[in-house]
Amino acid sequence: MKLATKIIHAGMEPDPSTGAIMTPIYQTSTYVQEAPGVNKGFEYARSQNPTRKALEEALAAIENGKHGLAFSSGVAATDAVIKLLQPGDEVIAASDMYGGTYRLFTKIFEKFGIKFIYTDTTDPANVAAAITPKTKLIWLETPTNPLMNITDITAIADISKKAGTLLCVDNTFASPYLQNPLDLGADIVMHSSTKYIGGHSDIIQGALIMNDDALREQLYFIQKSCGAVPGPMDCFLALRGIKTLHLRMQRHCENGVVIAHWLRKHPKVSRVYWCGFEDHPGYAVAKKQMRGFGGMMSFELKDDSTDTTKKVLSGTHLFSLAESLGGVESLINHPASMTHASIPREERIKNGLSDALIRLSVGVEDADDLIEDLQKAIG
C-alpha cells in the first residue's frame, strides 16, 4: 500500500455497530464486564480506549512499525522512554535538541542517577567515542530543533546495535511523511503529535512507535501505570489530522523551499538554517533518508541586536508569534526566550543557538503572502 493511501486508511475500520466511517469518540472511563475478568478487551480507559487503539494502530502503520502507543504529550512519551532505564545508566543525546527534552533530562532524571552525555551526533564518530558499558540509550533529533542539523540514522543505528543500546529518534520535525526512522534501524520513534501529526494546533499529544514486542510491553506497562494518556477527543482529532498529513506536508515542503531561498537572498539576513540547501553540511544525508526537506527553518539577521530581533518577531501578521510548530498556520518563534529558554545561555551559545536566532514554522498559506508578511517585518 502506497503512503498516501496508508495515511488515509491506516487504523480505520467502520464502526461495527453502526457502520460509521469515522472512529467514534468513546467518551467513557470504564467498561461493563460480562463477569469478573470477562470483558470485550477493554477494562478501564487509562489502560485501553477504542478511539486511542485506532490511533495507535494508525501511528504504527504510517511509521512502518508494528506497535504504536499514544501519550498525553511529546514530553510524556519521552518520559516513558527514559523510564526504561535504571540509576547508573547513561544516555547519549544530541547537543542541539528541543529545550523541553533537555529540561526533562537535566532537571528530572539526572537526580535519579541517570547520566546524560551531550555530543554532536552529526558526526557518528562522536557517538561511537561516547559509548561506555553503561550506555543504554542513544537519543536523536533529526532534523534538530532549532538549528536543523542532520544525523545519519543508519550510521548511528549501526553503532547502537554493536553496543547493544536502544536508539530512539525524535521524528517530530520530519513527520512520518518525510522520514521513517524504524526503516533506518531505530528501535523507537518518538513524536510530539501536537505538531505535524495533529496539524491544526488544537491538541497536545505524543507517540511512540516500535517493532519489538517485548519493548512494546515494557512501554505499555509504563503508559498504563503512569497514566500519561490522551483523552478520546484528542485521539479523534489526531486521527482526523493524520488523514491530511500527506497533503499538508506537500504544501509545507513547497512553501519551505520558497521561503528558505527568499530569506537567503534577503540583504538583511545573514544566515538561514534549512537542510534543503545543497551546501548544508547534512544535505546529502537528509536527501538520502528524507523524502523532502519540510517547512521548518531558522535564520539570523545581519543586525543581530535585541531590538531588531524583537522588532521582526513582533512585526509579522500571518506568522503568529507563538511556541509550537507543524500547524497549518505559520508561526514565528524566538528559541532563546521561548522553546529553549530552559537551556542555560552558555550552553545555547556553545551549541550555536544565538540570542538572535529566529525560528519559522512555515504553514500552508500562499507563499507570496508569507513573503510579503516577512518583508514588512524585516524591512
Side-chain angles (χ1 to χ4, degrees):
M1 188 182 294
K2 297 293 180 65
L3 181 58
T5 307
K6 186 187 294 185
I7 284 171
I8 296 292
H9 293 281
M12 304 293 183
E13 294 291 340
D15 179 55
S17 61
T18 65
I21 195 168
M22 289 301 297
T23 303
I25 302 168
Y26 286 90
Q27 194 71 49
T28 184
S29 61
T30 193
Y31 308 86
V32 174
Q33 302 190 21
E34 298 174 13
V38 180
N39 57 67
K40 295 179 172 64
F42 301 93
E43 302 167 307
Y44 185 61
R46 173 168 38 79
S47 300
Q48 314 101 350
N49 177 280
T51 315
R52 192 173 89 219
K53 180 175 182 289
L55 172 61
E56 292 175 337
E57 291 175 353
L59 290 166
I62 63 176
E63 271 292 8
N64 297 333
K66 187 175 180 182
H67 306 291
L69 294 170
F71 292 82
S72 55
S73 68
V75 170
T78 303
D79 175 87
V81 175
I82 305 303
K83 283 174 178 170
L84 293 168
L85 308 180
Q86 302 291 331
D89 289 346
E90 294 180 358
V91 179
I92 298 172
S95 52
D96 174 28
M97 62 157 57
Y98 167 53
T101 305
Y102 179 89
R103 180 177 58 229
L104 179 69
F105 289 176
T106 58
K107 302 300 183 183
I108 303 298
F109 282 107
E110 277 190 355
K111 66 184 179 183
F112 294 115
I114 296 174
K115 183 178 180 181
F116 295 88
I117 300 166
Y118 301 97
T119 188
D120 178 4
T121 60
T122 63
D123 184 351
N126 293 335
V127 177
I131 294 278
T132 76
K134 295 182 179 180
T135 304
K136 302 301 178 184
L137 173 69
I138 300 173
W139 183 274
L140 297 182
E141 282 184 20
T142 183
T144 60
N145 180 2
L147 296 176
M148 304 305 297
N149 289 313
I150 300 295
T151 293
D152 188 328
I153 297 172
T154 300
I156 304 301
D158 289 343
I159 294 170
S160 176
K161 285 177 173 56
K162 289 176 183 176
T165 72
L166 289 172
L167 172 60
C168 183
V169 178
D170 181 340
N171 200 30
T172 299
F173 265 31
S175 88
Y177 180 76
L178 297 182
Q179 182 172 267
N180 300 117
L182 293 179
D183 292 346
L184 303 172
D187 298 293
I188 307 169
V189 177
M190 194 286 290
H191 282 281
S192 173
S193 315
T194 307
K195 314 305 193 295
Y196 285 113
I197 287 176
H200 293 79
S201 303
D202 55 8
I203 61 170
I204 299 291
Q205 199 174 110
L208 298 175
I209 302 97
M210 70 295 303
N211 283 318
D212 186 82
D213 294 346
L215 185 57
R216 187 267 175 193
E217 290 308 308
Q218 287 179 283
L219 288 166
Y220 172 65
F221 181 81
I222 293 169
Q223 181 198 47
K224 72 176 181 178
S225 299
C226 298
V229 295
M233 183 65 189
D234 281 353
C235 291
F236 173 85
L237 291 172
L239 279 167
R240 187 187 65 171
I242 287 173
K243 282 181 175 288
T244 59
L245 177 65
H246 59 307
L247 302 174
R248 291 183 285 105
M249 291 307 299
Q250 288 168 11
R251 186 57 174 265
H252 285 300
C253 288
E254 291 168 3
N255 282 354
V257 171
V258 174
I259 301 301
H261 282 89
W262 178 83
L263 281 170
R264 200 175 217 196
K265 293 176 183 176
H266 198 287
K268 293 186 178 180
V269 174
S270 63
R271 183 172 180 182
V272 182
Y273 300 81
W274 181 64
C275 60
F277 292 130
E278 292 188 6
D279 59 355
H280 185 286
Y283 174 79
V285 174
K287 191 173 177 62
K288 176 184 70 172
Q289 67 188 21
M290 298 173 69
R291 301 182 188 93
F293 303 108
M296 295 302 303
M297 64 193 68
S298 299
F299 70 97
E300 294 166 345
L301 299 165
K302 290 180 180 177
D303 178 0
D304 61 358
S305 65
T306 300
D307 287 345
T308 301
T309 301
K310 286 184 176 180
K311 175 179 174 292
V312 173
L313 287 161
S314 302
T316 57
H317 174 66
L318 295 178
F319 280 88
S320 299
L321 178 60
E323 297 196 6
S324 199
L325 59 104
V328 292
E329 63 287 310
S330 294
L331 300 177
I332 191 168
N333 172 278
H334 184 231
S337 66
M338 297 168 73
T339 52
H340 291 67
S342 58
I343 300 176
R345 185 175 185 273
E346 59 272 20
E347 287 295 314
R348 294 198 307 267
I349 299 299
K350 182 178 71 175
N351 294 326
L353 200 171
S354 74
D355 290 341
L357 189 78
I358 296 171
R359 192 190 75 182
L360 299 180
S361 174
V362 178
V364 302
E365 303 95 335
D366 188 283
D368 289 341
D369 291 330
L370 295 178
I371 287 173
E372 182 180 355
D373 192 43
L374 289 170
Q375 180 62 60
K376 288 179 179 177
I378 296 172

